[in-house]
Amino acid sequence: MLSALSNTGIEVMVGVTNEEVLGIGESPSAAATWINKNVAAYMPGTNITAIAVGSEVLSSIPNAAPVLVPAMNNLYKALVATNLNYLVKVSTPQSMGLIPRPFPPSTATFNTTWNSTIFQILRFLRNTNSFYMLNAYPYYEYVKSNGIFPIEYALFQPLSSVKQIVDPNTLFRYNSMFDALVDATYNSIAALKFSKIPVVVTETGWPWFGGANEPYATVENAETFNNNLIRRVSNDSGPPSQPDMPINTYIYELFNEDRRPGPVSERNWGVLFSNGTAVYSISLSNSDGRGANSSTVFCIAKPGADERSLRSGLNWACGPGQANCRAIQQGQPCYLPDTWQNHASYAYNDYYQKMHSSGGTCDFDGTAMTTAIDPSHGSCRFTGSLNSSTRGLFSPPAFGPVGPSSRSSRNYIYLHQIVSLSAVILALILV
C-alpha cells in the first residue's frame, strides 16, 4: 500500500501497532529498524508525514505505559538519524477515557493516575513541534449520558433556545458535543501547564447499524453526523476556547470491518462496504461542489474483473466507443497506476459520461459498475469530476484493504480544513 501511494502527493500516516510498542520502547535499534523499514524506505516518493505510536495505549494496554514515551523518543531519534525529523511528526492517539469528566470543558482534567505519563507525552510533543492525537466519539459520550444531552447536540444539529449548552464558568456556548470534547482536551492540557500544542482528532465517527440495544446506531444518524462534521471542520475555526486552531479530523472509518468482534455496531462504522460502494451519501465539499453524494455517477471497472475482459472492454471504449483515452497514455496524468483496472476505469467512465444521456450504459460485458465516489486521484481527473481542490472521496476501490483489520490498523478519512483527499494506509487521510 505504501508503494501504491508513491508519487501521488497524498499525505500518509503510518502506525506502530500496540504489539510493537514494547520492543521499540526498549530498543533504539528496533526503533531504527522500524523507521528504515516502514518510513525511510518509502520516502520521498511516498509522502509520509506522521507516525501514530500505538492506539489508545494508556487505556487499552496500561502495562505498556512506562515504555510509551521511550518508544516515541526512540522513533524520533531514528528519524533524526535519517534526517527525516523535519518531515515526519511522532505522536500517540489517546481516548477521551483519559478525561473522566469532560463537561464542563473549562474544568476538565486528565485522570491523575496518568499525570506523569501524560506530562512526558506533552513535553515530547512540545519539544518536537508535534500534536496531541485525540480519539473523540460523541456517539459513545451521548450513549453514556443517558439522556442528559439532546441527540441534536451529538449530531451537530441546531439546538432550541431551551436546549443550549453553556459552560457555566466561561459562558462559552457549545453547539456540538464534538467541540466540547476538543475543548475539554485543550483545558486538560492547560491544567498541566502546556499550551500551543494542537489537538488533532484522530478518530471520530458514528456507526450506521447496531444491535437491538443500540438504537442510535442508524444510517440516518451516521449520515447526519459525518456530513455535519465535514461542514464543521471545513470552516477553519477551532472550539470556543481556541477559535484560531482549526480542528483537523479523521473519520472512523473507511470500510466496514465485517469480522470485528464485539457489539453489532463495531462492524458497521464504515462509510464504504468492502466492495467500495457507499453505505450512505457523504459529501467532502464545503461548497456547492460535488463529493460522494454528487448527482454525478461514475462508471468504473469492477474490482477483480477478469483481465482479458477488461482489455476487451478498454479496447472497445477507446475505439468504437469513442472515449478519449489520451489521459491513460504513458506520461499522461492517468497512466499510473499502470493496470488494466485503472485504465479501463478511466475509459469506461469517459464513454459513460458522454453517452449515458443518449442510452449508453455502464456494463462492458459485466466488468463495470457505477459509483457515486469520484475515482479521481492525484492529478488524474476523471470525466465528470469537479475541477476543484476536492479530489473526490477515495482513490479507485482496488486500493482498499482486502481483509479484516485490527484496532491498531483502522481505516480513516482525514479532513484537513478544506476537506480534500489525502490518504490510505493504517489511515486514509484527506488533506
Side-chain angles (χ1 to χ4, degrees):
M1 196 170 285
L2 284 170
S3 297
L5 289 163
S6 180
N7 300 317
T8 63
I10 294 171
E11 289 191 8
V12 180
M13 177 183 291
V14 294
V16 175
T17 67
N18 284 351
E19 292 75 17
E20 294 173 308
V21 170
L22 180 62
I24 289 173
E26 292 179 340
S27 170
S29 63
T33 298
W34 194 95
I35 290 294
N36 288 331
K37 178 182 177 182
N38 298 292
V39 179
Y42 296 94
M43 294 182 71
T46 301
N47 186 21
I48 298 173
T49 60
I51 298 170
V53 184
S55 178
E56 303 181 358
V57 170
L58 299 186
S59 51
S60 60
I61 48 169
N63 60 305
V67 296
L68 178 57
V69 176
M72 296 168 71
N73 273 309
N74 287 342
L75 289 165
Y76 181 76
K77 290 175 182 177
L79 289 171
V80 171
T82 52
N83 203 31
L84 295 174
N85 56 300
Y86 294 106
L87 300 174
V88 182
K89 301 297 183 184
V90 177
S91 190
T92 178
Q94 300 299 336
S95 76
M96 277 303 302
L98 297 184
I99 303 173
R101 290 182 294 277
F103 196 85
S106 60
T107 60
T109 59
F110 289 113
N111 185 327
T112 55
T113 302
W114 298 114
N115 272 2
S116 175
T117 301
I118 294 173
F119 182 90
Q120 295 175 56
I121 291 172
L122 295 175
R123 183 171 57 189
F124 172 88
L125 299 178
R126 180 195 61 192
N127 292 344
T128 61
N129 293 315
S130 190
F131 48 87
Y132 185 91
M133 294 180 171
L134 170 69
N135 295 347
Y137 287 98
Y139 169 76
Y140 289 129
E141 299 298 327
Y142 174 72
V143 171
K144 287 192 302 182
S145 74
N146 292 319
I148 294 176
F149 297 108
I151 185 68
E152 294 88 352
Y153 181 54
L155 296 174
F156 299 90
Q157 293 177 318
L159 299 173
S160 67
S161 58
V162 297
K163 292 183 178 180
Q164 296 296 313
I165 308 297
V166 178
D167 188 311
N169 302 307
T170 61
L171 300 184
F172 287 145
R173 180 176 297 172
Y174 287 90
N175 295 321
S176 73
M177 185 179 287
F178 177 81
D179 279 73
L181 296 178
V182 174
D183 244 358
T185 304
Y186 273 116
N187 283 297
S188 297
I189 292 172
L192 291 179
K193 309 302 181 185
F194 288 90
S195 62
K196 298 182 180 179
I197 297 176
V199 172
V200 172
V201 179
T202 39
E203 291 185 22
T204 194
W206 199 281
W208 61 269
F209 185 71
N213 61 340
E214 299 175 299
Y216 304 107
T218 67
V219 170
E220 293 77 14
N221 285 346
E223 182 176 2
T224 298
F225 178 87
N226 281 327
N227 280 300
N228 285 341
L229 169 70
I230 291 168
R231 281 189 283 272
R232 168 63 188 91
V233 171
S234 298
N235 68 18
D236 278 0
S237 67
S241 78
Q242 307 286 332
D244 297 324
M245 298 285 282
I247 310 175
N248 301 331
T249 302
Y250 295 70
I251 293 178
Y252 177 74
E253 63 183 325
L254 179 57
F255 291 97
N256 285 324
E257 299 180 67
D258 57 357
R259 299 183 187 179
R260 188 176 176 80
V264 174
S265 62
E266 284 292 296
R267 296 181 283 283
N268 295 287
W269 288 77
V271 299
L272 294 183
F273 292 107
S274 57
N275 65 2
T277 59
V279 176
Y280 49 82
S281 296
I282 185 170
S283 173
L284 291 168
S285 171
N286 61 341
S287 64
D288 60 356
R290 293 190 296 262
N293 65 345
S294 163
S295 58
T296 298
V297 173
F298 298 90
C299 179
I300 61 172
K302 286 183 179 178
D306 175 72
E307 182 178 304
R308 180 178 297 180
S309 299
L310 287 176
R311 185 185 308 161
S312 176
L314 174 63
N315 289 337
W316 186 90
C318 296
Q322 300 183 16
N324 183 353
C325 298
R326 182 176 181 275
I328 54 176
Q329 302 304 307
Q330 190 166 6
Q332 297 303 310
C334 296
Y335 176 72
L336 295 176
D338 181 16
T339 64
W340 292 109
Q341 172 92 23
N342 177 59
H343 291 181
S345 289
Y346 186 89
Y348 288 1
N349 182 68
D350 190 83
Y351 165 82
Y352 182 74
Q353 298 299 334
K354 293 174 179 176
M355 303 302 296
H356 177 59
S357 61
S358 57
T361 62
C362 179
D363 183 69
F364 294 92
D365 287 333
T367 65
M369 59 181 278
T370 58
T371 178
I373 300 166
D374 186 346
S376 300
H377 52 281
S379 60
C380 175
R381 310 297 309 154
F382 271 54
T383 306
S385 174
L386 185 67
N387 185 20
S388 71
S389 62
T390 302
R391 296 184 176 176
L393 183 53
F394 312 112
S395 296
F399 288 160
V402 295
S405 61
S406 68
R407 183 167 289 274
S408 58
S409 60
R410 291 167 164 176
N411 310 294
Y412 305 93
I413 304 167
Y414 178 46
L415 305 167
H416 176 65
Q417 302 173 24
I418 61 169
V419 201
S420 342
L421 175 65
S422 196
V424 187
I425 193 164
L426 302 180
L428 182 137
I429 309 174
L430 291 173
V431 177

